[in-house]
Amino acid sequence: GQSLEQPSEVTAVEGAIVQINCTYQTSGFYGLSWYQQHDGGAPTFLSYNALDGLEETGRFSSFLSRSDSYGYLLLQELQMKDSASYFCAVSGFQKLVFGTGTRLLVSP
Amino acid sequence: EADIYQTPRYLVIGTGKKITLECSQTMGHDKMYWYQQDPGMELHLIHYSYGVNSTEKGDLSSESTVSRIRTEHFPLTLESARPSHTSQYLCASSESLGGYNEQFFGPGTRLTVL
């Protein structure tokens, strides 16, 4: 089977840096994705890591260690609009399996 | 920009009714998916399709059925709705088969069964 673990909630202040961790157990691993979902909205794609290392996209970075079955999403210069749920997702051959999600609360 | 649409956005119906949730995409993607998500919870895959005339059940057992007669259209049907079906249903599509598999999501249908 497949399972992914994330912290349920993270809080931070504007301007800070926050890291959301994701550990997974899966077979047929192709890569790790991250999605953002605002309350009442649809998930939107943030990043994808197939190889070990850090991928940077603007204020967001994502890291993967395949040997540790571990990844994280790093959000820098936090803004109020970053308050949302963040899901890691493992790419299998035909589909994604989503984690339980981390709710990020950014305060002024 | 992703062009994937779902109707209706909100639906309140009584127990026992048959309903169809519509999903259409204009990106020409072969792969389409249906997820069920309760508020604040994870997404559970209930159905997916590789292309026309192909449908598969997902990881979460569901009493719904799907069809894929046209590439752009992937409707989900509940023959007899029950209160346990109350949830948000999200449709998604993607271009690639494996590996990099960015999925584009529709706005969702929030279903309430009384």
Side-chain angles (χ1 to χ4, degrees):
Chain A
Q2 295 168 310
S3 68
L4 296 90
E5 290 191 13
Q6 305 178 232
S8 59
E9 188 172 291
V10 173
T11 60
V13 297
E14 272 188 302
I17 300 172
V18 72
Q19 178 174 314
I20 299 174
N21 298 320
C22 174
T23 57
Y24 60 88
Q25 290 183 318
T26 185
S27 58
F29 178 84
Y30 281 77
L32 189 70
S33 301
W34 288 91
Y35 284 77
Q36 178 192 60
Q37 185 180 28
H38 288 98
D39 284 348
T44 56
F45 173 82
L46 289 177
S47 67
Y48 174 76
N49 293 69
L51 303 175
D52 287 358
L54 190 69
E55 296 279 345
E56 298 182 61
T57 308
R59 295 187 296 115
F60 294 0
S61 303
S62 56
F63 171 83
L64 175 65
S65 170
R66 295 174 70 114
S67 59
D68 295 324
S69 296
Y70 164 76
Y72 66 73
L73 180 69
L74 190 73
L75 299 87
Q76 303 182 74
E77 301 173 16
L78 280 174
Q79 302 175 9
M80 295 295 291
K81 67 178 181 180
D82 297 329
S83 291
S85 292
Y86 293 83
F87 294 89
C88 60
V90 166
S91 288
F93 178 64
Q94 300 291 359
K95 55 189 178 179
L96 292 175
V97 177
F98 283 84
T100 52
T102 298
R103 188 171 180 85
L104 171 63
L105 301 173
V106 181
S107 57
Chain B
E1 185 175 323
D3 294 304
I4 180 164
Y5 309 98
Q6 291 185 244
T7 57
R9 292 292 311 278
Y10 302 91
L11 181 60
V12 180
I13 60 167
T15 297
K17 299 292 186 184
K18 177 181 178 179
I19 61 167
T20 296
L21 308 185
E22 301 288 349
C23 176
S24 294
Q25 50 97 3
T26 58
M27 296 172 282
H29 289 167
D30 283 329
K31 298 191 73 180
M32 296 188 74
Y33 314 81
W34 276 104
Y35 292 90
Q36 185 174 341
Q37 184 184 33
D38 293 325
M41 303 296 285
E42 66 211 272
L43 287 80
H44 293 285
L45 181 67
I46 51 176
H47 296 283
Y48 61 104
S49 167
Y50 304 142
V52 171
N53 295 325
S54 141
T55 60
E56 300 286 342
K57 289 190 179 294
D59 302 318
L60 181 68
S61 175
S62 173
E63 294 163 344
S64 58
T65 59
V66 292
S67 63
R68 189 88 183 274
I69 297 173
R70 303 197 314 266
T71 296
E72 63 270 22
H73 195 214
F74 191 40
L76 180 145
T77 298
L78 275 168
E79 291 291 334
S80 180
R82 297 207 299 267
S84 61
H85 295 138
T86 294
S87 189
Q88 173 160 263
Y89 293 84
L90 290 160
C91 179
S93 72
S94 69
E95 182 177 358
S96 61
L97 272 178
Y100 180 64
N101 188 15
E102 177 181 353
Q103 293 188 10
F104 297 89
F105 284 82
T109 294
R110 192 170 295 278
L111 173 65
T112 302
V113 184
L114 304 175

